[in-house]
Structure formats: structure tokens, C-alpha cells
Amino acid sequence: MTRRVSRQRPHCPCGLEEPYDDCCGRFHRGGSAAPTAEALMRSRYSAFVKRDEAYLLRTWHPRTRPPGVGLDPGMRWTGLEILGTTDGSAFHGTGTVTFRASFKGGSLHERSRFERVDGAWVYVDGEFLD
């Protein structure tokens, strides 16, 4: 009996069906910048999954950026659901993304605010909704 091995690369942690390297990985590597607030939100979620503190700090607004993120090595993120967006396209200077990020044992419901700084989207802050 022969077992068939899948050669498909796994989907990106952000929930899109693209492989990580072609989706959020390209932003994490610095090869390109997220073109929308939602794309930045997704890439930041993937950075939490991958524990990429450097990317999280690099994409945080200088005005609100903390000295460090303090990622919990025991945290296991399990999914991202985008619930809504306001503005945040290539034609806007600000935008919001409302999302639910699930983790083992619970979820986080937040409305995040984003701004463009020197042409690149950055995370400003967020409001917890639940």
C-alpha cells in the first residue's frame, strides 16, 4: 500500500489560502509592505503566531510603539476572523479593522486603528470590544 504525501504548502496563519511565504511571510521578510490596513492586520496576527517581535515593533506607530512586545511562548493562536473594515485602502490615510483572534482557551475581539506613516501602514492602537 502506497501513501500519498501532499506537497502542498500550508495556508498562511492569517486565514487566507495562500502559502505563508507568498502571503504574510513576504511582509515579515521586509520584501514588501502591506498594501492595506487589513493586510497589515493579517500580517501582524501571523507575526504573533510566528513570534516575530521585530515585525510587530517595525509595524507599530512610532507614537504608540512599546519598547518590547513580551510574547508569551505558551500562547497558541488558533484563528483569525476579520469582522469588518473601515477605509484602510491605498486611497486612505487611516483605517480600522475589527477582528476576532482565537487562541487556545479563548478569543480576543478588537477594533484596531491604523495610519500611514511615510507611505506604509502601521498599527496605532486598539479597543477591546468584549
Side-chain angles (χ1 to χ4, degrees):
M1 181 173 202
T2 306
R3 286 183 65 185
R4 188 169 259 208
V5 178
S6 173
R7 298 279 183 221
Q8 287 184 335
R9 294 181 284 176
H11 295 156
C12 189
C14 79
L16 297 179
E17 292 189 13
E18 294 179 70
Y20 166 75
D21 285 341
D22 298 337
C23 192
C24 293
R26 65 192 166 119
F27 304 137
H28 294 174
R29 289 188 306 274
S32 61
T36 65
E38 180 180 338
L40 181 64
M41 174 60 240
R42 288 180 177 280
S43 69
R44 286 178 56 82
Y45 171 82
S46 291
F48 275 101
V49 171
K50 299 282 189 180
R51 294 185 186 86
D52 187 345
E53 182 175 14
Y55 180 78
L56 292 168
L57 291 172
R58 190 169 68 244
T59 58
W60 212 307
H61 197 293
R63 183 176 73 239
T64 58
R65 180 186 306 132
V69 179
L71 298 172
D72 179 355
M75 178 66 89
R76 297 291 176 255
W77 295 98
T78 58
L80 176 66
E81 180 183 7
I82 302 296
L83 303 172
T85 62
T86 304
D87 297 334
S89 78
F91 302 105
H92 300 106
T94 63
T96 65
V97 179
T98 303
F99 67 93
R100 186 176 312 280
S102 300
F103 55 88
K104 188 174 181 180
S107 67
L108 169 74
H109 186 195
E110 181 177 309
R111 181 177 304 111
S112 293
R113 291 186 322 124
F114 298 89
E115 290 181 12
R116 282 183 170 284
V117 173
D118 297 327
W121 285 106
V122 292
Y123 170 78
V124 177
D125 58 21
E127 170 190 5
F128 296 119
L129 299 174
D130 284 345

